[in-house]
Amino acid sequence: MPEEALIVVDMQRDFMPRGALPVPGGDEIIPRCNEYIEEFRKRGALIVATRDWHPPNHISFKEQGGPWPAHCVQNTPGAEFVVDLPAGAVIISKATEPDKEAYSGFEGTDLAEILRENGVKRVYVCGVATEYCVKATALDAVKHGFETYLLSDAVKGIRPEDEEQALREMKSAGVRIL
């Protein structure tokens, strides 16, 4: 059993250019994420995809007093994945309750248990946005005791200076930047 997993963070239509909450250039990493998905699949690694899966009245939406426009609403085109996930990929839905925000794929989910049940010791993280959900997921992976690697050629942030700060934070917390 391979001891590694690829965690693809929030590669959803609403986070791509022309989406409700676009990450600039987010679509540019789709091919690289797909290459990693295929590479890790061939190695027999567990493939995990996290997604925002918000109810229409989610606390993070401006209409509810939150900071963001409505995005990744459950069962809408904006919540669809933009990468090629293999059969058997584990889908982790986060921020599914109206009154709870969640940036990390571990927050309010059973991701840590799923990884442990599958014998995972090392996780590799890619996706969007570097300074929000990617960072939160990578930091939580470290907190949960997983050897954690960031695939820096397959992440995109919103603002370069915030992305650089996020990379520094992750590195100082023990995330290995590849």
Side-chain angles (χ1 to χ4, degrees):
M1 180 183 324
E3 297 183 335
E4 58 189 16
L6 174 66
I7 303 176
V8 182
V9 178
D10 297 2
M11 289 297 291
Q12 295 168 269
R13 192 172 311 281
D14 270 347
F15 294 127
M16 298 298 117
R18 295 177 302 285
L21 187 55
V23 174
D27 56 336
E28 295 167 12
I29 64 167
I30 294 171
R32 193 68 185 117
C33 287
N34 281 332
E35 288 170 13
Y36 280 123
I37 290 167
E38 182 58 15
E39 178 185 325
F40 278 83
R41 186 195 64 76
K42 284 180 179 167
R43 288 170 23 182
L46 186 67
I47 308 294
V48 177
T50 70
R51 65 179 178 185
D52 271 5
W53 194 244
H54 298 308
N57 60 339
H58 194 259
I59 191 171
S60 72
F61 297 165
K62 284 184 179 161
E63 300 79 21
Q64 309 299 323
W68 310 115
H71 64 281
C72 300
V73 174
Q74 297 170 3
N75 301 306
T76 64
E80 293 170 2
F81 289 110
V82 295
V83 290
D84 301 324
L85 295 172
V90 175
I91 308 300
I92 298 292
S93 299
K94 58 189 177 63
T96 59
E97 297 177 45
D99 59 343
K100 288 202 175 96
E101 184 52 286
Y103 290 99
S104 167
F106 290 90
E107 196 173 334
T109 73
D110 55 357
L111 178 54
E113 292 78 18
I114 290 168
L115 294 173
R116 286 192 189 96
E117 285 166 10
N118 283 277
V120 172
K121 294 187 177 11
R122 285 180 308 286
V123 298
Y124 296 80
V125 181
C126 64
V128 295
T130 309
E131 63 270 46
Y132 290 99
C133 297
V134 168
K135 177 179 87 170
T137 299
L139 293 176
D140 277 356
V142 170
K143 285 180 193 158
H144 282 280
F146 297 101
E147 195 177 309
T148 306
Y149 297 87
L150 182 77
L151 301 169
S152 63
D153 61 341
V155 296
K156 273 289 184 190
I158 296 168
R159 295 179 45 210
E161 57 275 17
D162 294 341
E163 191 171 25
E164 288 167 23
Q165 175 61 29
L167 292 171
R168 286 192 296 273
E169 281 179 55
M170 286 186 271
K171 192 172 183 179
S172 71
V175 176
R176 294 175 178 99
I177 314 291
L178 300 179

